[in-house]
Structure formats: structure tokens, C-alpha cells
Amino acid sequence: MTMTLDVVIPVYKPDRKFITLLARLNRQRRKPEKIVLMVTADTGEKVGRATVRKWISRSRIPVECHILSKEEFDHGGTRNKGIGFCKSDVVLCMTQDAVPADEFMTEELLKPFEGEFCGAKDGKFAGREILVSYGRQLPVPFCRVIEGYTRRFNYPKESRIKTVEDTDTLGVKTFFASNVCAAYRRGLFLEQGGFPEKTIFNEDMIFAGRAVKAGYGIAYAAKARVFHSHNLSGREQFHRNFDLAVSQVEHPEVFEGLRSEGEGVKLVKATAAYLINNGNGRLLPLLFWVSACKYAGYFLGKRFRRLPGWLVRSCSMNKRYWGDR
């Protein structure tokens, strides 16, 4: 069965990666029917509005632009609105800084829904329908060593399908499905209520967790590759992990009973071994510092309800989320 595909991308202050993303979507062997851009009005594009308009006009794939204010932006709600403008069988959600590595990305993302994939056939695995197919994130050129290894740790070369049966062995990673580059069966996505709205962060994992618990499968399509990584400081990692923990506390229906700390410890140990074995032992202090920042943010985020409001806002990456609380 051949499925149609639309793409939804939230856009805010796009740089040249966004231009490259548009160009490479146009080079895909399986071209989307259309690209829906959810553009925050206060863009202030680094590459200039005229440049962005020029590249949109050059696209051989139809492009729709929908404008919203900063106040209207919501991680889950904005993407839900974008998907509401789509009519395709499958919707691919991407971020503006995720650059397809080759012309096969969309084709590989659709394989779990259409053909044979890791034991699945025609979109079903062990009797479970596959609802989500997400791609592999590669480190961008000149990415720092530690961040590069983290990407390889979280996004291995081997494809797989995850279901509720994997929670005993994978724990919270069963629900990992980043919408930096993730495709969703539109009909089933809507039936499951879409992304949670008014959540601080982590809307993709919350949705995936609900889908898994509802009996659906998640496919990791390792051959669907995008370049995407960030060289975050320890401070930035602290804020990010604080919000990650808040999202888990606020959604116990998904995360209750599943510990995340074990995965973090596993990553630190694996990264330390990698640095030592590859002559980068000098980076161990940086690894331990950033890891400590991550853990501190996560620890405080898990206990945010016990903290005063001023401290919560200080720790959070998404300060607008808290309003006057």
C-alpha cells in the first residue's frame, strides 16, 4: 500500500539549516504532497525574510505558511494545528534545524507503515499497528566529541520496533520517539488525541507513551537519517533536564513507575569508556560536569512542586510556561 505524506515544521528565527532542509525535502525520492510551516510572527530570520520567501517560492512541493504569535506557540498545540491542515495518510513532523542526510529519508520513514520492516508487514507487528516511525539523528559536522557520542548512543545503526512488551527491558526508552524527525499515521494520531497541549516540553515522548500503552507500536527507522545535534553548555543541559523532569511529573499516566536515571548512568559510563579508548581522556572533567548539571536539573524538576515559584522559573528553560505561578 502506497501512502501519501505531508510535512509539518514549526518555524522561528530560521537560519541556513532551514533553507537546506527545504531544499533537501525537494530532493526526496518520495516527495511529500505539501509542506506546512507554522511560523511564529516575531521571526527576525537570521537569513532574512526575502531569502526565506525566495526558497519557499522555489519549492516544487507546495508550501503553506500559517502565522501565529509568540503567545500562541505551544510545543504540542502548534504541531496539532499544523497536522489539522493536512489530508495525507502520514504526517511527518520535523524541526527547522533537522537536515535530511540523503534523498531516502522520507522513503525509509514510510517503510514501517507500508511494507516489511523488522518483522512487521503492512504496518503491523505482532498484531499491533505501527503508529509512529522516527528517524536517526546524526551529529552535525564539527559537533563536539561528547555530543557526537551521545547521538550515536541514543540513535544506533540498528532499526527496531518497540511495544509495551519492551518496557520491562527498555524502561522509559520504550517511549523515546523524537519529533525532530518522526512520522505519524494521521488517522490514528487524531484518534489518540494528538500531542498533549499546554505541556512544558517532551510532547513527542508523552504521545508515544500513550500510544504504546494503548497497544500501538513505535518504529525506529535507522536508515531515515537527519543531521541534528546541539553543543549545549552545562547550564543549558540543567534547564533542559529540569523541564524534562517536570513533563514526567505532570504526566504520571505515562511515566509513573518508569525510572530514567538508569539510562543516564549507562550513558555516562559508556561515554567515559569511549573517551578513554579514543585518546580523549582530557574531556572526562567536562563529561562529569555536564552530567552533574543534567542530574541536578532532573533531580530538582522531579521535585518542582516543593520549590518556590521564583526558583522554578529560574531553573526552567521555558519560563513563559509558568506565567504568574
Side-chain angles (χ1 to χ4, degrees):
M1 177 174 60
T2 301
M3 293 184 162
T4 55
L5 176 72
D6 290 336
V7 182
V8 173
I9 309 171
V11 179
Y12 180 65
K13 293 186 178 179
D15 58 15
R16 296 201 176 276
K17 286 181 183 175
F18 173 67
I19 300 302
T20 307
L21 165 58
L22 283 181
R24 293 195 182 179
L25 282 175
N26 274 269
R27 294 178 196 153
Q28 294 298 301
R29 292 212 317 185
R30 287 286 298 273
K31 286 186 173 48
E33 303 295 309
K34 69 177 175 181
I35 301 169
V36 176
L37 304 180
M38 302 300 291
V39 182
T40 302
D42 181 24
T43 50
E45 295 94 339
K46 294 178 185 177
V47 296
R49 294 170 188 253
T51 304
V52 172
R53 283 198 298 268
K54 178 179 76 175
W55 280 96
I56 288 173
S57 67
R58 287 183 177 180
S59 174
R60 296 185 299 279
I61 304 166
V63 179
E64 289 181 11
C65 292
H66 300 274
I67 310 298
L68 60 149
S69 67
K70 257 186 177 181
E71 293 68 33
E72 289 176 297
F73 177 81
D74 175 76
H75 288 286
T78 296
R79 289 173 170 87
N80 287 341
K81 287 178 184 174
I83 291 170
F85 295 118
C86 299
K87 303 294 183 187
S88 57
D89 301 314
V90 175
V91 176
L92 168 58
C93 288
M94 299 188 73
T95 54
Q96 66 187 42
D97 59 346
V99 177
D102 54 39
E103 67 271 28
F104 305 106
M105 182 199 71
T106 54
E107 183 177 291
E108 294 295 337
L109 279 172
L110 287 168
K111 281 184 178 178
F113 302 133
E114 294 180 338
E116 295 187 8
F117 178 89
C118 293
K121 189 170 182 181
D122 297 328
K124 288 190 177 183
F125 176 76
R128 301 182 184 276
E129 287 191 274
I130 297 172
L131 201 163
V132 186
S133 170
Y134 72 101
R136 183 182 179 199
Q137 296 181 32
L138 304 174
V140 300
F142 310 112
C143 176
R144 291 176 189 162
V145 173
I146 293 174
E147 171 64 12
Y149 182 78
T150 300
R151 279 289 178 269
R152 290 189 287 275
F153 180 88
N154 287 328
Y155 298 92
K157 293 180 180 179
E158 299 78 24
S159 298
R160 67 167 299 163
I161 296 171
K162 298 179 288 186
T163 67
V164 71
E165 282 78 17
D166 293 302
T167 52
D168 288 341
T169 53
L170 294 180
V172 74
K173 287 204 82 170
T174 308
F175 307 152
F176 184 68
S178 172
N179 65 14
V180 162
C181 176
Y184 302 83
R185 284 185 192 256
R186 189 176 62 86
L188 293 178
F189 176 87
L190 296 175
E191 283 180 23
Q192 292 301 304
F195 294 119
E197 302 194 8
K198 306 301 181 187
T199 187
I200 190 169
F201 185 53
N202 210 25
E203 74 288 340
D204 44 9
M205 204 164 172
I206 295 167
F207 175 83
R210 289 174 176 173
V212 166
K213 290 190 170 188
Y216 294 100
I218 294 174
Y220 168 54
K223 291 183 179 179
R225 303 176 306 147
V226 293
F227 289 108
H228 180 265
S229 60
H230 296 289
N231 291 319
L232 300 180
S233 67
R235 182 188 183 91
E236 289 168 325
Q237 293 283 15
F238 172 89
H239 293 309
R240 182 181 179 86
N241 274 39
F242 182 88
D243 287 359
L244 174 67
V246 168
S247 76
Q248 293 184 3
V249 171
E250 292 192 325
H251 291 276
E253 78 283 1
V254 176
F255 299 105
E256 195 167 57
L258 294 174
R259 291 178 59 82
S260 299
E261 292 91 334
E263 279 300 316
V265 171
K266 203 183 300 181
L267 172 59
V268 174
K269 289 180 176 178
T271 308
Y274 173 81
L275 294 177
I276 293 168
N277 293 335
N278 287 274
N280 286 304
R282 70 188 184 283
L283 296 176
L284 286 174
L286 176 61
L287 169 66
F288 297 141
W289 163 247
V290 171
S291 300
C293 289
K294 286 181 179 180
Y295 179 74
Y298 188 82
F299 181 87
L300 289 174
K302 278 287 191 178
R303 294 154 181 82
F304 82 94
R305 289 189 173 128
R306 304 179 206 169
L307 305 178
W310 67 266
L311 182 56
V312 169
R313 283 188 289 275
S314 172
C315 292
S316 179
M317 176 176 64
N318 187 358
K319 301 187 190 311
R320 283 198 304 113
Y321 176 75
W322 302 101
D324 298 325
R325 287 189 273 181

